[in-house]
Coordinates of all heavy atoms in Angstrom, one line a residue:
M3 N -16.4 -24.5 5.1 CA -17.8 -24.1 5.2 C -18.2 -24.4 6.7 O -17.9 -25.5 7.2 CB -18.6 -24.8 4.1 CG -20.1 -24.4 4.3 SD -21.2 -25.3 3.2 CE -20.7 -24.8 1.5
S4 N -18.9 -23.4 7.3 CA -19.4 -23.7 8.6 C -20.5 -24.7 8.7 O -21.2 -25.0 7.8 CB -19.9 -22.3 9.2 OG -21.1 -22.0 8.5
A5 N -20.6 -25.3 10.0 CA -21.6 -26.3 10.1 C -23.0 -25.8 9.9 O -23.8 -26.4 9.3 CB -21.5 -26.8 11.6
S6 N -23.3 -24.5 10.2 CA -24.6 -24.0 9.9 C -24.8 -23.8 8.5 O -25.9 -24.0 8.0 CB -24.8 -22.6 10.6 OG -23.9 -21.7 10.2
R7 N -23.8 -23.5 7.7 CA -24.0 -23.3 6.2 C -24.2 -24.7 5.6 O -24.8 -24.8 4.6 CB -22.8 -22.7 5.6 CG -22.8 -21.1 5.9 CD -21.6 -20.5 5.2 NE -21.7 -19.1 5.5 CZ -21.2 -18.1 4.9 NH1 -20.5 -18.4 3.7 NH2 -21.2 -16.8 5.1
E8 N -23.5 -25.7 6.1 CA -23.6 -27.0 5.5 C -25.0 -27.6 5.8 O -25.6 -28.1 5.0 CB -22.5 -28.0 6.3 CG -21.2 -27.8 5.7 CD -20.2 -28.6 6.4 OE1 -20.5 -29.6 7.1 OE2 -18.9 -28.5 6.2
E9 N -25.5 -27.3 7.1 CA -26.9 -27.7 7.4 C -28.0 -27.0 6.5 O -28.9 -27.6 6.0 CB -27.2 -27.6 8.9 CG -28.5 -28.1 9.3 CD -28.9 -28.0 10.8 OE1 -28.1 -27.6 11.5 OE2 -30.1 -28.1 11.1
F10 N -27.6 -25.7 6.3 CA -28.6 -24.9 5.5 C -28.6 -25.6 4.1 O -29.6 -25.7 3.5 CB -28.1 -23.5 5.4 CG -29.0 -22.6 4.5 CD1 -30.1 -22.1 5.0 CD2 -28.6 -22.3 3.2 CE1 -31.0 -21.3 4.2 CE2 -29.4 -21.6 2.3 CZ -30.6 -21.0 3.0
A11 N -27.4 -25.8 3.5 CA -27.3 -26.3 2.1 C -28.1 -27.6 2.0 O -28.8 -27.9 1.0 CB -25.9 -26.5 1.6
A12 N -27.9 -28.5 3.0 CA -28.5 -29.8 3.0 C -30.1 -29.7 3.1 O -30.8 -30.4 2.5 CB -27.9 -30.7 4.2
L13 N -30.5 -28.7 4.0 CA -31.9 -28.6 4.2 C -32.6 -28.0 2.9 O -33.7 -28.4 2.6 CB -32.1 -27.4 5.3 CG -33.3 -27.5 6.2 CD1 -33.4 -28.7 6.9 CD2 -33.3 -26.3 7.2
M14 N -31.9 -27.2 2.2 CA -32.5 -26.6 1.0 C -32.5 -27.7 -0.1 O -33.2 -27.5 -1.1 CB -31.6 -25.4 0.5 CG -31.8 -24.2 1.5 SD -33.5 -23.5 1.6 CE -34.3 -24.4 2.9
A15 N -31.8 -28.7 0.0 CA -31.8 -29.9 -1.0 C -33.1 -30.7 -0.8 O -33.3 -31.5 -1.8 CB -30.5 -30.6 -1.0
V16 N -33.7 -30.5 0.2 CA -34.8 -31.5 0.6 C -36.1 -30.7 0.3 O -36.4 -29.6 1.0 CB -34.7 -31.9 2.0 CG1 -35.9 -32.8 2.4 CG2 -33.5 -32.6 2.2
P17 N -37.0 -31.1 -0.5 CA -38.3 -30.6 -0.7 C -39.1 -30.5 0.7 O -39.0 -31.5 1.4 CB -39.0 -31.4 -1.7 CG -38.0 -32.2 -2.4 CD -36.9 -32.4 -1.3
D18 N -39.8 -29.5 0.8 CA -40.8 -29.3 2.0 C -40.0 -29.3 3.3 O -40.4 -29.7 4.4 CB -41.8 -30.4 2.1 CG -42.8 -30.4 0.9 OD1 -43.0 -29.3 0.5 OD2 -43.2 -31.4 0.5
S19 N -38.7 -28.7 3.3 CA -37.9 -28.8 4.5 C -38.4 -27.6 5.4 O -39.1 -26.7 5.0 CB -36.4 -28.5 4.1 OG -36.1 -27.4 3.4
S20 N -37.8 -27.4 6.6 CA -38.3 -26.5 7.5 C -37.7 -25.1 7.1 O -36.5 -24.8 7.2 CB -37.8 -26.8 8.9 OG -38.1 -25.7 9.8
L21 N -38.6 -24.2 6.6 CA -38.2 -22.8 6.3 C -37.8 -22.1 7.6 O -36.9 -21.2 7.6 CB -39.2 -22.1 5.5 CG -39.6 -22.7 4.1 CD1 -40.6 -21.9 3.5 CD2 -38.4 -22.7 3.3
A22 N -38.4 -22.3 8.7 CA -38.1 -21.7 9.9 C -36.8 -22.0 10.3 O -35.9 -21.2 10.7 CB -39.1 -22.1 11.0
R23 N -36.3 -23.4 10.3 CA -35.0 -23.7 10.7 C -34.0 -23.0 9.7 O -33.0 -22.6 10.0 CB -34.9 -25.2 10.7 CG -33.5 -25.7 11.2 CD -33.4 -27.2 11.4 NE -32.3 -27.5 12.1 CZ -32.0 -27.5 13.4 NH1 -33.0 -27.1 14.1 NH2 -30.9 -27.9 13.8
A24 N -34.4 -23.1 8.3 CA -33.5 -22.4 7.3 C -33.2 -20.9 7.7 O -32.0 -20.6 7.7 CB -34.1 -22.6 5.9
A25 N -34.2 -20.3 8.0 CA -34.1 -18.8 8.3 C -33.2 -18.7 9.6 O -32.4 -17.8 9.6 CB -35.6 -18.3 8.6
L26 N -33.4 -19.6 10.6 CA -32.7 -19.4 11.8 C -31.2 -19.8 11.6 O -30.3 -19.2 12.2 CB -33.2 -20.3 12.9 CG -34.5 -19.8 13.4 CD1 -35.3 -20.9 14.4 CD2 -34.5 -18.5 14.3
L27 N -31.0 -20.8 10.7 CA -29.5 -21.0 10.3 C -28.9 -19.9 9.6 O -27.7 -19.6 9.9 CB -29.5 -22.3 9.4 CG -29.8 -23.6 10.1 CD1 -30.0 -24.7 9.0 CD2 -28.6 -24.0 11.0
M28 N -29.6 -19.1 8.9 CA -29.1 -17.9 8.3 C -28.8 -16.8 9.5 O -27.8 -16.1 9.4 CB -30.1 -17.2 7.2 CG -30.1 -18.0 6.0 SD -31.0 -17.2 4.7 CE -32.7 -17.3 5.3
G29 N -29.7 -16.8 10.4 CA -29.5 -15.9 11.5 C -28.2 -16.2 12.3 O -27.7 -15.3 12.9
L30 N -27.8 -17.5 12.3 CA -26.5 -17.8 12.9 C -25.4 -17.1 12.4 O -24.4 -16.9 13.0 CB -26.3 -19.3 12.8 CG -27.0 -20.2 13.9 CD1 -26.9 -21.7 13.7 CD2 -26.6 -19.8 15.3
E31 N -25.4 -16.6 11.1 CA -24.4 -15.9 10.5 C -24.2 -14.6 11.2 O -22.9 -14.1 11.3 CB -24.7 -15.6 9.0 CG -24.7 -17.0 8.2 CD -23.3 -17.7 8.1 OE1 -22.4 -16.9 7.8 OE2 -23.2 -18.9 8.3
S32 N -25.2 -14.0 11.7 CA -25.0 -12.7 12.3 C -25.1 -12.8 13.8 O -24.5 -12.0 14.5 CB -26.1 -11.7 11.9 OG -27.3 -12.2 12.3
D33 N -25.5 -13.9 14.3 CA -25.6 -14.1 15.8 C -25.2 -15.5 16.1 O -26.0 -16.5 16.2 CB -27.0 -13.8 16.4 CG -27.0 -14.0 17.9 OD1 -26.0 -14.2 18.6 OD2 -28.2 -13.9 18.5

């Protein structure tokens, strides 16, 4: 698993995490 996917998974496990950061981490998949 890539570092960005790991960070995304960890972020989603935390209530009230940064949705902006999560969206940008998804963006790393294409850029």
